[in-house]
Amino acid sequence: MVKVEGTLDEMYRLFGDARQAVGSAKKAVASTKKVVRKVKRPLNAWQKYVKANSKKFKYKSGAKKGQINLKAMSRAFKKRRK
């Protein structure tokens, strides 16, 4: 390890330019990196079934009123597939 002595202004004159050069080099490398995008997988049959608004079973009363009844949807989906 090297010991460097001097005033703060002298330190900035010595090392300030080096910091900027390293920072700009890192930015250049980051900007030139190839951007990899994930390939979107197609939806399976159940996901398509749940996504369709016309097929949503909703609770009509009780604490879950207005929420989607996935249990009933699952039953209907399984019957539909047979």
Side-chain angles (χ1 to χ4, degrees):
M1 189 173 251
V2 178
K3 185 177 181 182
V4 180
E5 293 181 357
T7 63
L8 193 56
D9 292 329
E10 291 171 345
M11 299 285 186
Y12 279 131
R13 272 189 249 125
L14 283 171
F15 302 114
D17 296 332
R19 284 185 186 166
Q20 289 176 352
V22 169
S24 63
K26 283 182 181 177
K27 287 178 186 174
V29 169
S31 65
T32 58
K33 278 186 180 176
K34 193 174 186 180
V35 179
V36 178
R37 294 181 77 186
K38 284 190 174 180
V39 177
K40 259 195 164 180
R41 291 184 299 111
L43 297 177
N44 61 30
W46 168 249
Q47 289 170 327
K48 287 177 188 174
Y49 186 81
V50 171
K51 189 176 181 181
N53 284 326
S54 63
K55 299 191 171 42
K56 290 189 177 164
F57 291 74
K58 294 196 175 186
Y59 290 102
K60 295 180 181 175
S61 62
K64 295 184 178 182
K65 183 179 179 181
Q67 292 181 2
I68 298 170
N69 187 347
L70 289 172
K71 189 175 182 180
M73 284 181 74
S74 173
R75 267 189 253 120
F77 178 74
K78 288 173 185 175
K79 284 182 182 177
R80 177 188 71 100
R81 304 226 34 207
K82 286 184 179 180

